[in-house]
């Protein structure tokens, strides 16, 4: 017995790791991760509700986690002053624990868990939240459409019957309260009526280079697969612009944490369906890159089916102001969430993700290796050949006015003159009669290509492995000899062909193009829109084509019309309104609205010859 006691027992390495983590977790952190109930009672714990009349933040580091790990169903009849922090009394303290852990979400606790759809690779977000915890200056940027601008909330400005701001402003207020010394800065570059293909060309110009977190919101505007059959990307599959945007944001110098926040309307687009939504493919792309993904649809759909208070979608707020309460309906109109409910739930998904990340940092501090992980080169695009392209010029909004060097009939108009912010303005050159024309003057020279910085070993191997897959499948289907020669990676990287695939007939990649691409931003809508001929009239050359402003989709959005042009410092492109429309009857018209001009480097697009779903990728 004595000998046995004198010899120490050797624990396995895994056991020591677990023990070390447990010892490192002090009691407040355990409470924050698992809830007060787990540590203070056994069996079924009584539900706790926040007093709606109290303006003070709930005390204790466990309140927020307890609210969505356990179904406490917190009270949500609160005003902004009761739920959002006042300016901090002192910025000397890096973290205000009462606000970091004490905020009680109005979002259904089970909905919160569902809405945190994919935590992704945590390294980048842990780096950003570590800066907040340390009190270092932090920049949060956002790109998206009108929901991110603030439509349906007090941020929108005039005509809103609520004091609740947009989800981004609500999230920024919480960040400022929880991390007072950091003074987080929100840079919102969202634009009403925009799609991801507008931002994918100009992200490095529009988004701050020192961004630590970038929120991406396009699930509503990018539309379903059918809606996106003509998303302005030519023959590129519908999600190509979204993927290029994600790649460009991840490649920003600060290597920010890119968070995909998928918004949702039960009415517009989805028509009450869980399946009919752009986020089906967006979530796949985000998961491929290991990006944290938040889903409003996953968070609120079940409550919507029950028409539960705060999630009701049987009416919209703008139509029943007198017959509904501010905390009753989810939607402000058919497209936009309402400030006290929909916008608040979106903010709370961001808050929940931030809390979980902060809890993980208290359990396991940031390691130097995580900085190295964040700096790793990106994998090849999930859509082969779909590399991000650097813009030689990006002329949008008011900067687009001076692009027109000659005109007849077209007028420079802001179709939303009462906008409270530049993001919400709708400037553009508008022609309304056949024969109206504008001439755009651009420098079409562009020799850069966005693929170079992010190319890696995987880029060389992907097409080879892709071709091998076809060879192996062919051998199985036709009972031919098996593929026995292993892949020689060194030979492939040296430019030698793959032995197994070299003697097979495979589709050759198209020859590299050295032209530039010019993307002409324009309005697409379902009523009164016309068509315009597009031709290069001097300097550069291009194939004549037609820009079409009409579509069946019941939405009015900015999209991109792509043309390939030769490079020239004084490229002149003429657009003339035609006496025709793709719309029929009352939907027909002649309005053509131009909003932007982007000059990009052209690139090879191996595998992009088939439009449509991600499954349509060719070899």
């Amino acid at each position: 017995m004595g000998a046995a006691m004198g010899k120490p027992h050797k624990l396995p390495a895994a056991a020591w790791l677990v023990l070390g983590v447990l010892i490192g977790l002090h009691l407040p952190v355990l409470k924050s991760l698992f809830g007060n109930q787990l540590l203070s009672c056994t069996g079924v714990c009584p539900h706790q509700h926040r007093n709606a009349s109290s303006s003070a933040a709930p005390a204790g580091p466990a309140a927020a986690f307890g609210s969505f790990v356990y179904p406490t169903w917190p009270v949500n009849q609160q005003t902004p002053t009761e739920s959002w922090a006042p300016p901090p009394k002192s910025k000397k303290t890096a973290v205000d624990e009462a606000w970091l852990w004490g905020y009680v979400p109005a979002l259904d606790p089970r909905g919160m868990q569902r809405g945190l759809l994919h935590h992704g690779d945590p390294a980048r977000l842990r780096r950003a939240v570590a800066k907040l915890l340390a009190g270092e200056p932090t920049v949060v940027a956002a790109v998206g459409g009108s929901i991110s601008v603030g439509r349906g909330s007090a941020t929108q400005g005039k005509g809103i019957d609520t004091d609740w701001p947009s989800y981004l402003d609500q999230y920024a207020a919480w960040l400022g309260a929880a991390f007072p010394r950091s003074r987080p800065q929100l840079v919102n570059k969202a634009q009403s009526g925009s799609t991801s293909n507008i931002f994918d060309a100009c992200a490095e110009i529009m988004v701050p280079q020192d961004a630590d977190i970038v929120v991406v919101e396009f699930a509503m505007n990018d539309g379903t697969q059918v809606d996106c059959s003509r998303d302005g990307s030519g023959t590129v599959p519908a999600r190509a612009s979204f993927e290029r945007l994600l790649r460009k944001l991840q490649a920003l110098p600060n290597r920010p944490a890119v968070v995909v926040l998928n918004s949702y309307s039960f009415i517009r687009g989805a028509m009450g369906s869980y399946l009919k939504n752009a986020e089906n493919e967006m979530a796949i792309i985000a998961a491929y890159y290991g990006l944290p993904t938040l889903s409003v649809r996953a968070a609120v759909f079940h409550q919507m089916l029950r028409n539960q208070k705060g999630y009701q979608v049987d009416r919209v707020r703008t139509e029943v102001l007198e017959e509904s309460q501010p905390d009753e309906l989810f939607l402000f109109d058919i497209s936009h969430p309402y400030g006290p409910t929909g916008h608040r739930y979106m903010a709370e998904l961001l808050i929940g993700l931030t809390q979980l990340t902060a809890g993980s940092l208290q359990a396991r501090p940031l390691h130097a290796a995580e900085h190295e992980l964040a700096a790793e080169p990106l994998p090849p695009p999930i859509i082969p050949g779909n590399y991000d392209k650097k813009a030689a010029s990006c002329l949008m909004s008011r900067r687009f006015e001076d692009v027109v060097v000659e005109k007849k009939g077209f007028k420079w108009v802001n179709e939303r003159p009462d906008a409270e912010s530049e993001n919400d303005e709708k400037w553009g050159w508008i022609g309304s009669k056949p024969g109206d024309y504008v001439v755009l003057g651009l420098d079409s020279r562009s020799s850069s290509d966005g693929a170079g910085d992010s190319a890696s070993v995987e880029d060389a191997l992907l097409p080879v492995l892709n071709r091998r897959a076809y060879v192996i499948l062919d051998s199985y289907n036709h009972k031919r000899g098996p593929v026995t020669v292993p892949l020689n990676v060194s030979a492939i990287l040296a430019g030698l062909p793959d032995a197994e695939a070299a003697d097979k007939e495979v589709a050759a990649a198209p020859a590299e193009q050295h032209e530039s691409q010019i993307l002409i931003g324009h309005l697409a809508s379902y009523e009164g829109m016309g068509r315009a001929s597009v031709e290069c009239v001097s300097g550069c050359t291009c194939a004549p084509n037609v820009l079409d402003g009409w579509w069946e989709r019941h939405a009015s959005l900015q999209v991109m019309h792509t043309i390939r042009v030769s490079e020239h410092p004084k490229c002149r492109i003429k657009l003339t309104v035609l006496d025709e429309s793709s719309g029929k009857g009352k939907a027909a018209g002649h309005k053509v609205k131009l909003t932007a001009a982007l000059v990009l480097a052209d690139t090879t697009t191996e595998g992009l010859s088939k439009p449509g779903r991600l499954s349509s990728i060719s070899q």
Side-chain angles (χ1 to χ4, degrees):
M1 176 71 72
M5 291 180 64
K7 184 177 180 180
H9 179 69
K10 186 175 181 181
L11 289 175
W16 278 115
L17 178 61
V18 173
L19 182 60
V21 171
L22 291 176
I23 293 174
L25 286 169
H26 53 76
L27 184 59
V29 177
L30 283 173
K31 289 184 177 181
S32 71
L33 290 174
F34 303 111
N36 270 328
Q37 297 95 327
L38 184 64
L39 299 176
S40 60
C41 66
T42 57
V44 180
C45 298
H47 297 335
Q48 297 179 356
H49 297 273
R50 180 180 176 183
N51 184 353
S53 63
S54 172
S55 60
F65 284 90
S67 67
F68 62 81
V69 173
Y70 291 90
T72 57
W73 304 96
V75 176
N76 66 352
Q77 291 95 337
Q78 297 169 318
T79 66
T81 56
E82 291 176 324
S83 296
W84 297 106
K89 296 178 180 179
S90 172
K91 294 184 174 65
K92 294 182 180 180
T93 303
V95 179
D96 186 331
E97 299 252 348
W99 279 103
L100 173 56
W101 307 119
Y103 174 74
V104 178
L107 180 60
D108 180 312
R110 290 180 295 174
M112 175 72 83
Q113 290 183 308
R114 291 190 182 110
L116 301 177
L117 190 68
H118 181 63
H119 292 181
D121 186 337
R124 290 194 179 202
L125 191 56
R126 279 170 53 85
R127 289 170 71 239
V129 176
K131 290 182 66 175
L132 291 167
L133 290 167
E136 300 176 16
T138 307
V139 177
V140 178
V143 293
S146 56
I147 292 175
S148 293
V149 169
R151 304 293 287 179
S153 75
T155 301
Q156 178 181 333
K158 300 176 181 178
I160 303 299
D161 67 319
T162 176
D163 292 330
W164 286 85
S166 71
Y167 79 89
L168 284 171
D169 286 339
Q170 291 185 39
Y171 179 51
W174 178 82
L175 285 175
F179 309 100
R181 193 196 302 168
S182 182
R183 300 185 186 184
Q185 177 189 7
L186 173 64
V187 181
N188 186 0
K189 290 296 183 179
Q191 290 190 9
S192 292
S194 64
T195 52
S196 62
N197 62 9
I198 290 176
F199 287 90
D200 96 73
C202 302
E204 72 268 69
I205 297 173
M206 302 178 70
V207 177
Q209 298 292 292
D210 60 347
D212 298 290
I213 299 173
V214 184
V215 179
V216 180
E217 176 270 313
F218 284 107
M220 282 290 294
N221 283 14
D222 273 17
T224 63
Q225 190 64 49
V226 173
D227 292 333
C228 286
S229 60
R230 49 150 304 177
D231 71 343
S233 300
T235 60
V236 175
R239 301 300 168 220
S241 59
F242 179 73
E243 182 188 17
R244 289 195 300 267
L245 172 60
L246 297 184
R247 292 183 64 86
K248 187 162 290 187
L249 293 174
Q250 292 177 88
L252 287 172
N254 209 27
R255 295 298 189 264
V258 179
V259 178
V260 176
L261 174 52
N262 292 322
S263 51
Y264 179 74
S265 169
F266 190 87
I267 298 173
R268 205 202 82 187
M271 295 296 290
S273 169
Y274 195 92
L275 291 173
K276 188 179 179 183
N277 195 275
E279 74 170 272
N280 296 338
E281 292 171 325
M282 288 180 166
I284 292 173
I285 297 173
Y288 175 77
Y289 290 102
L291 304 182
T293 305
L294 307 176
S295 171
V296 176
R297 175 182 66 173
V300 304
F301 191 82
H302 294 282
Q303 296 90 314
M304 287 178 172
L305 290 182
R306 296 193 296 267
N307 212 37
Q308 182 178 318
K309 185 176 182 180
Y311 307 87
Q312 293 177 7
V313 288
D314 57 335
R315 297 167 296 165
V316 297
R317 179 67 174 165
T318 51
E319 302 294 333
V320 290
L321 291 176
E322 300 299 327
E323 294 82 19
S324 63
Q325 298 299 315
D327 62 346
E328 183 179 357
L329 305 178
F330 180 88
L331 291 168
F332 177 75
D333 53 32
I334 64 170
S335 304
H336 303 98
Y338 189 41
T341 53
H343 272 282
R344 184 176 178 185
Y345 303 150
M346 292 176 71
E348 290 175 348
L349 287 174
L350 289 168
I351 291 171
L353 180 64
T354 307
Q355 288 175 321
L356 288 174
T357 306
S360 78
L361 285 163
Q362 292 197 16
R364 181 173 58 85
L366 190 69
H367 193 274
E370 294 181 83
H371 294 287
E372 298 175 6
L373 290 173
E376 284 184 343
L378 297 176
I382 190 173
I383 303 174
N386 188 39
Y387 288 100
D388 42 303
K389 303 167 186 178
K390 296 178 180 178
S393 63
C394 183
L395 304 167
M396 304 174 66
S397 190
R398 295 182 183 181
R399 296 179 63 201
F400 181 61
E401 180 180 6
D402 296 334
V403 174
V404 172
V405 296
E406 185 182 342
K407 65 183 175 66
K408 173 190 172 185
F410 272 79
K411 296 180 180 180
W412 180 246
V413 178
N414 177 15
E415 292 192 300
R416 185 172 285 158
D418 60 344
E420 294 290 318
S421 68
E422 185 177 345
N423 291 8
D424 214 15
E425 294 175 343
K426 291 194 173 183
W427 287 100
W429 284 102
I430 298 178
S432 56
K433 295 185 298 184
D436 289 352
Y437 71 85
V438 289
V439 177
L440 309 182
L442 297 164
D443 183 346
S444 63
R445 293 173 297 178
S446 177
S447 57
S448 63
D449 189 322
D453 293 339
S454 55
S456 61
V457 173
E458 292 92 335
D459 291 281
L461 296 183
L462 177 63
V464 178
L465 291 172
N466 186 268
R467 287 193 289 270
R468 273 219 175 197
Y470 279 87
V471 172
I472 294 172
L473 183 62
D474 182 70
S475 68
Y476 268 81
N477 289 340
H478 297 88
K479 301 186 183 304
R480 295 172 181 165
V483 173
T484 58
V485 179
L487 189 69
N488 188 330
V489 176
S490 299
I492 297 300
L493 296 179
L496 300 177
D498 177 29
E500 284 288 354
D503 60 342
K504 303 295 181 181
E505 184 177 350
V506 295
E512 183 176 357
Q513 301 293 323
H514 294 285
E515 299 173 316
S516 292
Q517 288 187 12
I518 292 183
L519 276 60
I520 301 174
H522 67 97
L523 177 67
S525 191
Y526 53 93
E527 190 173 25
M529 304 304 295
R531 291 156 58 91
S533 62
V534 183
E535 55 184 333
C536 294
V537 292
S538 69
C540 56
T541 59
C542 62
N545 55 89
V546 174
L547 177 151
D548 196 341
W550 184 89
W551 61 8
E552 293 183 356
R553 185 180 175 190
H554 198 83
S556 298
L557 300 172
Q558 296 183 71
V559 297
M560 292 292 177
H561 178 79
T562 304
I563 58 174
R564 284 182 168 83
V565 303
S566 62
E567 295 187 346
H568 196 278
K570 293 185 178 180
C571 177
R572 299 293 182 261
I573 302 172
K574 184 177 182 179
L575 294 96
T576 306
V577 178
L578 300 174
D579 189 13
E580 59 187 55
S581 174
S582 296
K584 306 299 181 184
K586 294 181 179 180
H590 297 105
K591 178 180 176 180
V592 173
K593 180 178 179 180
L594 309 177
T595 60
L598 318 178
V599 180
L600 310 179
D602 197 13
T603 60
T604 59
T605 52
E606 179 182 3
L608 296 183
S609 59
K610 294 182 180 179
R613 300 171 182 160
L614 296 179
S615 59
S616 298
I617 295 172
S618 69
Q619 60 177 311

